[in-house]
Amino acid sequence: MNLAVPALLLLLLLLPGLLAASAYLGRFGRGRSEPVADTTFTWSWFWALLASPPLHLVWMTAIGFFSTPQPAIAAVFSLLSGVGERQEKVLTEAVSPFGLEIFCYFFSISVVAALLGGMARKVVRTLGLDLTFKSFRFGNRWHYRMSGEQQAIDMIDDIDAAGLPMWQNISLKRQAFRQWRNAQRPLVTISVTLSHAADDYLYVRFLQEYEIDTNGGLLSLRLIATIRRKLTDDRSSDEAERKPLHDDPRFYEITGDSVCIWARDVKSLSIRETLKNRS
């Protein structure tokens, strides 16, 4: 039997689940700064294996209300799985009249699966389930740290560490999330070290936006009101008390509305969350 045939069958079976899982994990259809799970390729296929059977079952039931007679989807799967010559002829005759319907079935279930995955992701993000419960949390940490949501995660993880009964634990975590959501959002200050020619420079200021690539890695940063200094212009050990950045003569402003920094050029990075207003 041609090995390409069962491989095609496997792809058709798992494609809806794979699209649903990919949409939920942020592989596509997300904002540039939205979190991407760092789930491995194997885990993506595992979730696809779990999601695909119920998707096919529900969709095959649903099309029964809109298609009479129904396309022989089961015959398609049997045919692709490899059968004897006589049975193959019977199945081919059962499938042939429904070529367009069968194509529409696989196309429609793939579209619906991707939409369902995106909707599930939206629900999780809107309700803050990824902040409240570790099982919903996207593995990649860049988004949580850059957005200031790490502050909420730290609060909720402290509740988990207390070892409270389950229902009390859930109630306190949801209460902590609501308090964090209604509070003033932390301002994220970024300090990065970059190299220019023969010198290294320290860039400091407020994070305006960031971008995460499809693998969950940090792609770029955009800072506003940016100042910088040479890394060699450090304070001496006998220098007086530290001055605020805007009063520090070692730093000077960079003209322009914002500064875009590619993560690949960053040598070191420091993230700090504060509640201080940008003004």
Side-chain angles (χ1 to χ4, degrees), residues 55-164:
L55 284 170
H56 280 292
L57 179 62
V58 171
W59 201 239
M60 289 177 67
T61 303
I63 62 174
F65 296 101
F66 303 100
S67 177
T68 305
Q70 299 183 28
I73 302 299
V76 174
F77 289 139
S78 298
L79 187 62
L80 290 173
S81 63
V83 293
E85 183 176 348
R86 180 177 298 180
Q87 190 176 3
E88 180 178 351
K89 183 178 180 180
V90 175
L91 291 173
T92 302
E93 292 176 354
V95 169
S96 298
F98 300 103
L100 179 60
E101 289 84 350
I102 290 171
F103 169 80
C104 291
Y105 169 82
F106 285 110
F107 178 78
S108 60
I109 193 176
S110 297
V111 172
V112 169
L115 292 175
L116 288 175
M119 290 171 58
R121 176 188 176 87
K122 185 69 174 178
V123 169
V124 168
R125 292 289 300 149
T126 301
L127 298 179
L129 298 179
D130 58 326
L131 304 183
T132 310
F133 303 103
K134 292 181 179 180
S135 56
F136 287 98
R137 198 167 297 167
F138 299 94
N140 186 268
R141 291 275 184 166
W142 281 117
H143 166 79
Y144 297 119
R145 293 198 176 279
M146 294 295 179
S147 65
E149 293 178 5
Q150 185 63 41
Q151 187 181 70
I153 290 176
D154 292 340
M155 292 169 52
I156 290 168
D157 286 350
D158 287 342
I159 296 175
D160 278 332
L164 300 172

